[in-house]
Amino acid sequence: MNFYGYKRPDGRVGVRNKVLILPASVCASDTTRIISQQVVGSVTFNNQLGCSQVASDQQFTMDVMAGYAANPNVYGTVVVSLGCENCQMDLVVEAIKERTNKPLKQVIIQEAGGTLKAIDMAVRYAKEMVEEASLLQREEFPMSELIIGTECGGSDPTSGLASNPLIGQLSDLIVKEGGTSILSETTEFIGAEHILARRAATPEVHDRIYEIVHRYEKALQLVGEEVREGNPSPGNKAGGLTCLEEKSLGCIHKGGHSPVNAVYDYGKQVEAKQGLVIMDTPGNDPSSVAGMVAGGAQIVVFSTGRGTPTGNPLAPVIKITGNKLTYANMVDNIDVDASPIIYGTKTLEGLGDELLKLTQEVACGKQTKAESLGYTEMAIARVCNFV
């Protein structure tokens, strides 16, 4: 099975062809918003961080910024900084160049002479990149070039019964095609970590699965909190989930049945053709998705029982629910109804093939519901993390 995408100079393959206006800190985010509004074909996001962070916290931010610029769905990047933030322009540029050799421009607001001059300079850079990007033609590539991120949010019992197993079926099919699938949300491994660890390809991966789970719990305990006090969420409980362990047993279905070949830290570069891997992300949807996209995921497949509008600035997000009432109520947001698995009108294997076909179509350019609505919300993980 093949798809049509964009070959990048670093050898990776994108399914979208965007120019990223990258804010190096919160103080540049309004400026990048104004710039992106003036350049069709560009995207940006609201970076609420980038300054006043301790080193370990700042590293998360740096990894996401560098990873976003390196994501294969990006043709090139215009970095905009204020000039005095912790995430200095030279640090951001160096981090990006360590990951990719794609087109890169930089604008420092304080050095450009203020907001208006910085906007003018960045708009010119961005328009030039959009023109260059428009000359690229899609080429045919095997599905092994795909990295998919898997996520669940607003879960209810149908997530563990239908939509998460369906994503797991897709994950296994992507692995069979030679591609990469990322299982995320460390907080939602808790209580099921022993099941994942049994599937580890090596003793090192086995130990790392336990390490990231225990590290997460201890990080919250250091500030006097317990993960179970915030997870499951009120919406999860209203939907019928009773405890974190129950939620975790449903969550890990997104990893299918393939061996776990590696464990990546948040936002780190994931290599292609790795099979099933894990990324250490929080359960918070936008920040978890951001980590996987920073890792190189070109597409995110996202299950929801209660319904969610989550999207991403760079990667198309395919939304799935196993709750037929949620699908009827939020059809504008959700791409796939997995409830026929519960009611026995379709098989997991049959719907898995349909979802693989949809993933191929999205890789070739078909818009998801989140894309058509323009949803681009995101967040970045913190040292004192989300649950």
Side-chain angles (χ1 to χ4, degrees):
M1 180 177 274
N2 298 327
F3 71 97
Y4 289 86
Y6 301 97
K7 187 65 175 284
R8 303 302 181 198
D10 58 14
R12 300 180 187 275
V13 179
V15 303
R16 297 294 184 266
N17 197 30
K18 304 184 180 190
V19 169
L20 173 62
I21 316 299
L22 175 63
S25 70
V26 61
C27 297
S29 289
D30 268 340
T31 303
T32 62
R33 172 181 55 82
I34 295 168
I35 295 162
S36 186
Q37 287 173 342
Q38 295 186 36
V39 184
V40 176
S42 71
V43 292
T44 190
F45 61 93
N46 184 17
N47 182 0
Q48 302 220 346
L49 306 174
C51 196
S52 307
Q53 295 172 268
V54 297
S56 56
D57 197 49
Q58 182 175 317
Q59 191 60 53
F60 283 151
T61 305
M62 289 291 294
D63 285 336
V64 168
M65 290 194 293
Y68 266 37
N71 186 283
N73 292 348
V74 171
Y75 170 83
T77 300
V78 180
V79 185
V80 181
S81 75
L82 176 59
C84 57
E85 58 267 90
N86 283 55
C87 290
Q88 286 282 290
M89 179 65 80
D90 59 341
L91 297 178
V92 177
V93 169
E94 180 183 359
I96 293 172
K97 288 183 175 179
E98 287 176 359
R99 294 204 189 198
T100 187
N101 59 349
K102 293 185 296 186
L104 182 64
K105 294 289 187 179
Q106 50 192 290
V107 176
I108 300 174
I109 298 168
Q110 290 169 347
E111 295 182 7
T115 298
L116 294 179
K117 291 181 179 179
I119 289 170
D120 181 66
M121 186 183 302
V123 164
R124 292 178 187 277
Y125 288 151
K127 285 185 174 180
E128 289 173 5
M129 281 192 193
V130 168
E131 290 172 4
E132 294 166 1
S134 70
L135 295 174
L136 292 184
Q137 300 294 314
R138 287 184 179 266
E139 303 174 53
E140 189 172 5
F141 297 96
M143 295 289 278
S144 59
E145 293 289 347
L146 281 185
I147 300 174
I148 66 164
T150 66
E151 182 74 17
C152 55
S155 299
D156 71 4
T158 68
S159 298
L161 292 171
S163 52
N164 286 352
L166 177 57
I167 290 177
Q169 182 73 8
L170 173 68
S171 176
D172 286 340
L173 291 171
I174 291 290
V175 169
K176 186 177 179 181
E177 291 283 339
T180 305
S181 175
I182 306 174
L183 178 62
S184 66
E185 301 178 279
T186 304
T187 49
E188 291 165 24
F189 300 163
I190 295 171
E193 64 268 33
H194 59 293
I195 298 173
L196 279 178
R198 286 201 299 263
R199 291 166 50 190
T202 66
E204 291 76 17
V205 172
H206 173 280
D207 293 346
R208 279 279 285 150
I209 291 171
Y210 279 105
E211 177 194 337
I212 63 173
V213 169
H214 295 159
R215 182 174 66 188
Y216 216 115
E217 289 189 282
K218 289 176 182 175
L220 290 170
Q221 290 166 356
L222 281 173
V223 291
E225 303 291 347
E226 289 291 337
V227 65
R228 289 167 180 80
E229 292 177 3
N231 201 348
S233 70
N236 295 149
K237 293 174 182 176
L241 292 174
T242 63
C243 63
L244 181 55
E245 287 78 5
E246 187 176 69
K247 188 176 180 183
S248 295
L249 289 168
C251 174
I252 65 170
H253 277 300
K254 300 195 304 295
H257 299 90
S258 304
V260 181
N261 292 321
V263 177
Y264 287 87
D265 286 331
Y266 182 83
K268 297 297 185 182
Q269 183 67 61
V270 175
E271 296 302 319
K273 305 175 185 177
Q274 287 281 296
L276 176 65
V277 302
I278 285 172
M279 180 174 283
D280 180 17
T281 76
N284 175 268
D285 303 333
S287 61
S288 180
V289 169
M292 292 186 287
V293 173
Q298 303 107 315
I299 296 174
V300 175
V301 188
F302 190 125
S303 75
T304 178
R306 306 278 289 172
T308 177
T310 300
N312 183 266
L314 303 184
V317 179
I318 300 172
K319 221 69 66 47
I320 302 169
T321 187
N323 188 322
K324 68 176 184 180
L325 298 178
T326 298
Y327 183 74
N329 191 44
M330 296 190 68
V331 69
D332 290 340
N333 300 98
I334 297 172
D335 301 277
V336 177
D337 179 9
S339 67
I341 295 172
I342 295 175
Y343 295 96
T345 56
K346 288 187 179 181
T347 65
L348 178 63
E349 292 75 18
L351 266 177
D353 290 339
E354 290 181 23
L355 182 55
L356 179 64
K357 178 65 175 174
L358 174 60
T359 303
Q360 180 194 39
E361 291 171 349
V362 169
C364 290
K366 180 179 181 178
Q367 282 200 333
T368 64
K369 298 287 182 67
E371 283 184 291
S372 66
L373 287 168
Y375 274 100
T376 61
E377 77 277 14
M378 63 156 283
I380 299 174
R382 308 297 305 270
V383 167
C384 183
N385 226 327
F386 299 106
V387 298

